[in-house]
Amino acid sequence: MTASREPAFEVTDTRSLPHLELVDAASRSVELDEMTDRIIVLSFTPEGCGAPCDAQQRLIERVRQAVNITPMRDMVSFVNIAEPGAAGLAAGENFIQAHSLPGEPVVDLSEAFAGLSSRGGTEPVAHIIDRGGRHAGLFHGSTFRYADMMHYINGLTNMRPPEPSFRDRLSEFFR
């Protein structure tokens, strides 16, 4: 339903996510695999992205603030991946500012995740990862209505975590 109303939204449905090695500001490891009981809103702010990423981060922060006044706050995590030392929002309740490991530019990580979209393009993308680790959708750029992201996240919080398909279980077996 979100895809029919929101031109900036794209439905996805895959458990095959690019591998990320991340650390937070305190150099602690950030593992998305350890957050499979939560919905993750994942975004990237590579060096040089500038205004497009800033606009998207402001919109995502607005969504986070709205989520945090509901019971969803305990079910959703917002993870932004930026260059080490980049200015960003202060980490706090259900928000993690993560960084790539030295020698692995954020733009490379962002491009790996961009492959999950069938649209292409150069605008920043917010990835929605459902409970259970399924990549469920994308919000492109900063023109989406924050209420549409809120409704989509709300719908995911009310769904049972999806069962892995036979293909997913087989793929996991051979990893």
Side-chain angles (χ1 to χ4, degrees):
M1 197 162 129
T2 302
S4 66
R5 292 194 310 264
E6 178 57 68
F9 178 72
E10 178 182 0
V11 175
T12 62
D13 185 15
T14 184
R15 289 180 184 274
S16 299
L17 299 176
H19 179 70
L20 295 174
E21 291 190 42
L22 305 170
V23 294
D24 65 11
S27 296
R28 292 180 300 245
S29 179
V30 175
E31 297 288 338
L32 297 184
D33 293 345
E34 293 176 3
M35 294 186 228
T36 57
D37 61 332
R38 302 177 68 80
I39 294 162
I40 301 170
V41 178
L42 178 67
S43 61
F44 297 87
T45 52
E47 188 173 43
C49 183
C53 287
D54 293 343
Q56 185 187 62
Q57 288 307 301
R58 284 191 302 273
L59 188 53
I60 291 172
E61 177 58 15
R62 187 173 173 202
V63 171
R64 188 177 77 87
Q65 288 175 1
V67 163
N68 285 350
I69 60 172
T70 73
M72 291 188 293
R73 77 179 161 273
D74 297 328
M75 303 166 87
V76 182
S77 289
F78 293 81
V79 179
N80 176 253
I81 302 172
E83 298 293 342
L89 299 171
E93 183 181 7
N94 74 349
F95 175 75
I96 300 168
Q97 180 79 55
H99 307 288
S100 57
L101 297 178
E104 189 169 19
V106 171
V107 70
D108 291 349
L109 301 177
S110 177
E111 288 173 359
F113 268 79
L116 298 171
S117 172
S118 62
R119 293 188 187 178
T122 59
E123 62 192 354
V125 178
H127 301 265
I128 310 296
I129 302 169
D130 198 356
R131 292 179 294 169
R134 178 181 66 101
H135 192 278
L138 302 159
F139 282 85
H140 293 266
S142 61
T143 59
F144 59 87
R145 292 179 296 267
Y146 95 97
D148 286 337
M149 184 183 268
M150 281 288 301
H151 288 133
Y152 188 68
I153 291 170
N154 183 49
L156 293 176
T157 63
N158 289 302
M159 289 176 50
R160 293 183 66 201
E163 293 293 323
S165 69
F166 174 74
R167 180 175 175 229
D168 292 331
R169 288 191 302 265
L170 189 60
S171 174
E172 189 64 33
F173 176 76
F174 285 109
R175 272 193 205 174

